[in-house]
């Protein structure tokens, strides 16, 4: 796959899946706009993109802030003049019981990050994507398809909504030549659990539990998700839109985290 002269915008690009996607696109000749809040991590990803021959644009921004989101688009178009691929990857996995005092605060924060930001980013980018007959990829989760455990109602709801947003927008934009798809990973080795505030010991317990929940007895690497994203945005997938692509090492086959 070759993405020479293609412009790709990736949110949540400072680590994990977002970083892997940005680097993979750079390796295939794309010009990548990297969006994130962690300056040190984002610059490290930018260097890896540049080492691959890419021309990364680094944008420090909070995708839950509307003014920042507008700035992301203006800086990307100002630098590259167009947009071919939007990857809505930024997300958080904060958990809480529905009975917890902070339940609604967690819900509002998760929905703002995982869902609203993707909707607003799409709203601002769609005109440019229509010009290039581009692609939108929403990074979702198998949590949107299955109840994986307790106290993740906010995260699961946000991802289920993101999947349906994908289908709705795919239908609306099909006549404009813009394809929209969702990628729904199972366990992937990223820093999302660490960023959720768990200590190192409990983090290891979570990873081991996730591994045992997979049919293939393994946790995916971020690069595997990136490979799927590149396929879906390439001409090899030109007949695919409105699809939800599960890549979970067979976690759903075993009933998710419940067994």
């Amino acid at each position: 796959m070759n993405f020479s002269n293609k412009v790709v915008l990736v949110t949540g690009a400072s680590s994990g899946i977002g970083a892997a996607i940005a680097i993979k696109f750079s390796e295939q000749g794309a010009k990548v706009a990297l969006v994130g809040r962690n300056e040190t991590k984002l610059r490290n990803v930018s260097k890896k993109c540049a080492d691959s021959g890419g021309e990364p644009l680094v944008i420090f921004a909070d995708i839950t802030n509307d003014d920042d989101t507008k700035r992301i688009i203006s800086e990307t178009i100002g630098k590259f003049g167009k947009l071919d691929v939007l990857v809505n990857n930024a997300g958080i996995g904060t958990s809480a019981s529905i009975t917890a005092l902070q339940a609604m605060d967690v819900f509002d924060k998760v929905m703002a990050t995982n869902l609203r930001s993707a909707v607003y980013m799409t709203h601002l980018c769609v005109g440019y994507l229509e010009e290039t007959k581009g692609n939108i990829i929403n990074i979702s989760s198998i949590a949107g398809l299955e109840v994986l455990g307790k106290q993740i109602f906010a995260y699961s709801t946000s991802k289920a909504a993101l999947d349906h947003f994908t289908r709705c927008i795919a239908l609306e934009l099909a006549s404009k030549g813009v394809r929209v798809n969702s990628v729904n990973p199972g366990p992937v080795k990223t820093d999302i659990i660490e960023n959720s505030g768990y200590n190192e010991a409990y983090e290891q317990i979570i990873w081991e539990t996730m591994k045992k929940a997979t049919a293939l007895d393994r946790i995916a690497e971020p690069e595997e998700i990136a490979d799927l994203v590149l396929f879906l945005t390439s001409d090899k997938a030109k007949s695919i839109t409105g699809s939800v692509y599960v890549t979970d090492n067979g976690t759903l086959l075993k009933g998710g985290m419940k067994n």
Side-chain angles (χ1 to χ4, degrees), residues 10-31:
V10 184
T11 67
S14 60
S15 63
I17 292 172
I21 291 170
I23 293 167
K24 286 275 187 179
F25 269 117
S26 293
E27 291 172 348
Q28 296 301 319
K31 301 172 183 177

Side-chain angles (χ1 to χ4, degrees), residues 62-73 112 116-117 120-121 124:
D62 179 355
I63 46 85
T64 66
N65 180 295
D66 285 0
D67 289 337
D68 274 13
T69 303
K70 292 174 185 176
R71 178 170 58 83
I72 290 167
I73 309 307
R116 189 186 184 280
S117 68
Y120 192 46
M121 187 71 72
L124 295 178

Side-chain angles (χ1 to χ4, degrees), residues 162-178:
L162 185 62
D163 288 348
H164 209 48
F165 173 69
T166 295
R167 289 184 282 262
C168 291
I169 301 306
L171 177 60
E172 181 175 346
L173 299 182
S175 62
K176 304 294 181 64
V178 177

Side-chain angles (χ1 to χ4, degrees), residues 38-195:
N38 188 308
E39 181 174 354
T40 299
K41 289 184 178 181
L42 204 59
R43 291 205 181 280
N44 287 338
V45 176
S46 175
K47 184 179 183 303
K48 292 179 181 179
C49 290
D51 289 344
S52 300
E55 301 178 34
L57 169 65
V58 176
I59 305 174
F60 302 109
D62 179 355
I63 46 85
T64 66
N65 180 295
D66 285 0
D67 289 337
D68 274 13
T69 303
K70 292 174 185 176
R71 178 170 58 83
I72 290 167
I73 309 307
S74 64
E75 289 188 17
T76 300
I77 299 302
K79 171 73 173 180
F80 299 122
K82 66 169 185 170
L83 182 64
D84 296 281
V85 179
L86 168 64
V87 181
N88 288 311
N89 168 73
I92 57 174
T94 310
S95 61
S97 166
I98 191 63
T99 63
L101 292 176
Q102 73 273 24
M104 293 314 299
D105 289 337
V106 169
F107 181 78
D108 289 342
K109 183 177 180 180
V110 170
M111 294 297 282
T113 305
N114 295 3
L115 179 62
R116 189 186 184 280
S117 68
V119 173
Y120 192 46
M121 187 71 72
T122 301
H123 169 68
L124 295 178
C125 287
V126 70
Y128 300 107
L129 293 168
E130 287 177 359
E131 292 177 3
T132 59
K133 297 189 183 302
N135 279 267
I136 300 170
I137 297 291
N138 294 319
I139 303 300
S140 184
S141 168
I142 59 170
L145 304 171
E146 177 77 41
V147 179
L148 300 179
K150 299 178 181 179
Q151 300 190 10
I152 57 171
F153 75 93
Y155 180 76
S156 298
T157 300
S158 72
K159 294 304 187 179
L162 185 62
D163 288 348
H164 209 48
F165 173 69
T166 295
R167 289 184 282 262
C168 291
I169 301 306
L171 177 60
E172 181 175 346
L173 299 182
S175 62
K176 304 294 181 64
V178 177
R179 296 190 293 107
V180 188
N181 291 290
S182 172
V183 171
N184 295 50
V188 180
K189 193 65 175 177
T190 70
D191 58 5
I192 189 171
I193 296 177
E194 176 186 349
N195 293 342

